[in-house]
Amino acid sequence: MKAVIQRVKHASVEVEGKIVGSCNEGFLVLLGVAEGDTEREAEMLCRKIVNLRIFEDDAGKMNRSLLDIDGELLVVSQFTLLANYRHGNRPDFMASAKPDEANRLYEYFKELAKKELRRVESGIFGADMKVSLLNDGPVTIVMDSDVLKSKK
């Protein structure tokens, strides 16, 4: 499972001209589910994301988490995070999970986040979405559950 976490002042996702999800100060998370991912990967990423200390404290240091600031979360599914671009110029997405399984784990990730945070919104799985955001910093972190699983 891969995630791109962007610290935002606000973000929204639109489908067919209608805003279907938004957040104020917090994170926009683009989430890609890989073939073979399980609930374990969703749990690891969710725990790491809600506790990620990249908001400034009173001293101006990145030392506060979403939980600390009562931040909001907007989650958008994005299978293209699993792109294989090694050969040629057209990536393939064979490493991404099949749609039914990817949607199940995407929904599971959102439910985990809702247990921790006051506000969690999302895009629509499989829809053509338009994402708008005001990146704060900018601060952008890429996470991979494989890295979290390794002990190196």
Side-chain angles (χ1 to χ4, degrees):
M1 197 171 281
K2 292 186 181 190
V4 174
I5 300 109
Q6 296 182 80
R7 187 177 77 179
V8 297
K9 288 295 186 184
H10 58 81
S12 63
V13 61
E14 180 182 309
V15 175
E16 296 180 1
K18 180 180 175 193
I19 293 179
V20 297
S22 65
C23 73
N24 291 307
E25 185 176 26
F27 292 155
L28 165 64
V29 173
L30 306 175
L31 187 68
V33 180
E35 185 69 39
D37 281 344
T38 67
E39 290 85 357
R40 179 177 179 228
E41 284 78 14
E43 292 160 3
M44 284 189 304
L45 272 184
C46 187
R47 183 172 39 256
K48 185 62 87 170
I49 289 169
V50 300
N51 289 290
L52 187 64
R53 295 180 356 201
I54 60 172
F55 294 95
E56 292 182 358
D57 63 15
D58 294 335
K61 303 252 189 243
M62 282 197 251
N63 202 29
R64 299 176 75 204
S65 70
L66 270 179
L67 296 171
D68 296 329
I69 69 158
D70 194 27
E72 299 179 359
L73 183 66
L74 176 60
V75 185
V76 176
S77 64
Q78 190 165 0
F79 75 94
T80 60
L81 292 177
L82 286 296
N84 178 346
Y85 47 84
R86 287 185 188 109
H87 303 289
N89 293 316
R90 186 176 62 171
D92 75 56
F93 306 102
M94 302 305 289
S96 60
K98 302 291 183 262
D100 287 348
E101 183 64 4
N103 188 34
R104 184 183 75 78
L105 289 171
Y106 169 69
E107 292 295 331
Y108 182 68
F109 178 92
K110 291 187 323 188
E111 291 308 312
L112 291 170
K114 286 177 182 178
K115 291 177 183 176
E116 301 290 329
L117 302 169
R118 174 181 53 83
R119 183 172 178 209
V120 176
E121 294 201 7
S122 63
I124 298 173
F125 185 87
D128 180 22
M129 296 177 274
K130 309 298 181 221
V131 179
S132 299
L133 68 141
L134 179 57
N135 194 314
D136 182 19
V139 176
T140 302
I141 308 257
V142 178
M143 283 190 191
D144 188 324
S145 60
D146 288 343
V147 173
L148 293 175
K149 286 189 281 189
S150 73
K151 296 188 182 214
K152 295 181 181 180

